[in-house]
Amino acid sequence: MLVLLAAGLTASYAESVDEYLNGPVHHKYRFTDNTFITATAGVNMAMSDYVLKDKPFTALRPQANLYYGKHLTKWFAARAGVGFLCQRAGVPKAAQNLRPDYCMPYSFGMQTLKLDAMFCLDRIFTPYNPHERFQLWAIAGGGVAHTFEFQDKVEDYYYHMTVDSKSHFYGTWHAGVEAMWNLSDHCSFLLSGMWHWMSADYNGAYNFDGTSMQAGLCRNYATLNLGIVYRFTNQYGKTYFTDCAKNENYYFDVMNDRLENVHSTANMCESDSVLIFPQKYAYLTPQQQRKVEKMVRYLENNPDRMAVINVYSDGIETPVNNEFRAKIRGERIVNAAEKLHSGISDRIVIKAHSEASPYGSEHIWTLGGIIRYARY
């Protein structure tokens, strides 16, 4: 019974250690996590009565936007952006008919600063899935618009209407929807439609007596955009050894800590004379750098000694990569030593081996750097 109990405890411990070492790592949170950049371009159209009654599709004008945002939760995001658009403003038919030679629709430019709140409508019906291909977002926000660059011809309109062609700032509000198709973990294609509300006087048009021509009329404009979204590292993802390239250094630091937690100091991985490397990488974790520091201190205290380090590859890549892996690992060791003591590399000899380490591996680690000391 005691033997069976001991065997069961050993198996349970082995399984828990394996799960512990192979478990995913959430990388250290940074401000850039869950941030994204969006660039869009499209068309806009003023929705005033004068425009809609006068061949509305001729009023389409270009626009472009650039945003920087952050996903604050799995269903909510915020973004700030800048935009530029050119817009066409209509004039009353009576004025056009009276003086058709110059009293015609005119164009002007507008710069915008915007702050948006974004709500993922998919989260109402389905749980979060980092690999989902389609998302629908509801967007609402506000900002400031700056009008400028009115066409010169508006100066001649003063007989029948007045256009204030000076630059002005106006408050603006907008709301709409944005459909995203995720092309990869980092990139998405989007289609967005937005409705904007502004002051009734933003196109500068006044009656001759100074009253607003647009009083009581619709002073909105609509936009339709296509764009691209680039997302930075996703905090909500889990990093495994098989896909750790986006955060490998932090990942390997955590995995080295885990390895030390399940090993005794008598294990070769913890030996000061053995440097371990993650397979297919040449990264020195803080624990391995401390071993290099001990080596440098030993050489400083023993000027008649030199370090001979046999550096191995993993033996699991192509012959060319195996050779490169051993070479670059040796260079990392020497560089780390030089940072601690300039000139100490003269007493370090690297023997690079393209074959796998004869001392084997442990979990994701190769026992790839064996330190020996000889007389200098």
Side-chain angles (χ1 to χ4, degrees):
M1 290 293 293
L2 289 174
V3 172
L4 291 175
L5 179 60
L9 290 174
T10 301
S12 175
Y13 173 76
E15 182 179 357
S16 62
V17 167
D18 186 64
E19 291 177 352
Y20 176 67
L21 291 176
N22 287 287
V25 173
H26 286 280
H27 72 79
K28 188 175 182 180
Y29 186 79
R30 299 165 298 187
F31 175 79
T32 54
D33 290 341
N34 305 312
T35 58
F36 58 92
I37 295 174
T38 302
T40 67
V43 294
N44 77 90
M45 184 172 71
M47 303 302 290
S48 70
D49 284 7
Y50 295 135
V51 170
L52 295 177
K53 292 178 180 178
D54 184 26
K55 300 177 181 179
F57 287 106
T58 63
L60 291 176
R61 291 294 185 273
Q63 69 161 22
N65 301 280
L66 183 65
Y67 299 94
Y68 182 76
K70 185 176 180 69
H71 290 277
L72 302 175
T73 71
K74 298 176 183 180
W75 56 271
F76 175 74
R79 70 183 184 186
V82 295
F84 169 80
L85 60 89
C86 177
Q87 194 166 106
R88 177 181 181 272
V91 298
K93 274 291 185 181
Q96 291 188 53
N97 294 336
L98 188 63
R99 295 301 304 269
D101 52 338
Y102 65 84
C103 206
M104 299 176 292
Y106 57 94
S107 296
F108 61 96
M110 193 158 28
Q111 299 166 330
T112 57
L113 293 174
K114 295 171 278 192
L115 183 63
D116 294 347
M118 305 174 62
F119 304 87
C120 186
L121 299 179
D122 298 71
R123 298 291 75 79
I124 299 175
F125 307 103
T126 59
Y128 172 74
N129 176 9
H131 303 296
E132 60 194 358
R133 287 299 174 190
F134 175 82
Q135 289 179 333
L136 185 64
W137 293 81
I139 299 173
V144 177
H146 172 239
T147 57
F148 67 103
E149 213 54 42
F150 283 77
Q151 285 184 288
D152 293 337
K153 66 182 181 181
V154 300
E155 296 177 1
D156 298 329
Y157 291 1
Y158 62 88
Y159 290 111
H160 304 287
M161 58 183 287
T162 301
V163 177
D164 182 0
S165 59
K166 296 179 181 179
S167 296
H168 290 284
F169 290 91
Y170 299 96
T172 177
W173 300 93
H174 52 268
V177 293
E178 196 166 87
M180 289 189 191
W181 287 267
N182 295 330
L183 306 176
S184 68
D185 290 341
H186 288 280
C187 290
S188 296
F189 172 79
L190 69 83
L191 172 65
S192 72
M194 208 77 63
W195 193 272
H196 303 256
W197 294 265
M198 286 185 64
S199 165
D201 303 320
Y202 82 91
N203 66 354
Y206 291 88
N207 290 313
F208 188 73
D209 59 3
T211 59
S212 173
M213 294 188 65
Q214 307 298 330
L217 298 179
C218 178
R219 289 306 301 129
N220 309 318
Y221 69 91
T223 59
L224 183 66
N225 285 289
L226 298 175
I228 291 289
V229 181
Y230 180 82
R231 292 181 297 278
F232 294 92
T233 306
N234 184 354
Q235 174 210 0
Y236 304 116
K238 297 178 181 179
T239 302
Y240 291 87
F241 179 62
T242 54
D243 59 352
C244 64
K246 300 166 189 172
N247 258 314
E248 65 268 25
N249 290 1
Y250 180 79
Y251 179 88
F252 294 138
D253 293 348
V254 172
M255 297 306 286
N256 203 162
D257 288 337
R258 291 182 182 181
L259 190 68
E260 288 190 345
N261 290 339
V262 299
H263 279 166
S264 66
T265 55
N267 188 279
M268 286 188 67
C269 289
E270 277 71 59
S271 171
D272 290 341
S273 62
V274 178
L275 298 174
I276 64 175
F277 295 92
Q279 293 175 6
K280 297 185 179 182
Y281 288 83
Y283 176 66
L284 286 168
T285 66
Q287 292 92 328
Q288 307 313 305
Q289 291 182 26
R290 286 194 288 270
K291 295 179 184 180
V292 173
E293 183 178 358
K294 289 180 180 180
M295 178 190 72
V296 171
R297 299 293 170 254
Y298 178 86
L299 294 176
E300 289 174 341
N301 295 329
N302 298 273
D304 61 331
R305 295 280 178 169
M306 61 186 294
V308 179
I309 308 176
N310 286 279
V311 181
Y312 298 89
S313 73
D314 307 310
I316 58 177
E317 300 180 88
T318 64
V320 172
N321 283 347
N322 283 332
E323 185 175 345
F324 168 79
R325 192 70 54 207
K327 177 177 178 295
I328 197 69
R329 285 174 175 174
E331 291 177 356
R332 292 286 174 85
I333 296 171
V334 171
N335 291 339
E338 274 288 312
K339 288 181 181 179
L340 297 169
H341 185 134
S342 178
I344 200 70
S345 59
D346 293 340
R347 294 165 57 196
I348 299 175
V349 176
I350 299 293
K351 295 183 177 181
H353 304 269
S354 60
E355 68 270 19
S357 170
Y359 300 93
S361 61
E362 176 73 28
H363 187 46
I364 66 170
W365 307 98
T366 291
L367 283 64
I370 310 302
I371 304 173
R372 296 287 184 264
Y373 297 100
R375 293 201 173 274
Y376 182 60

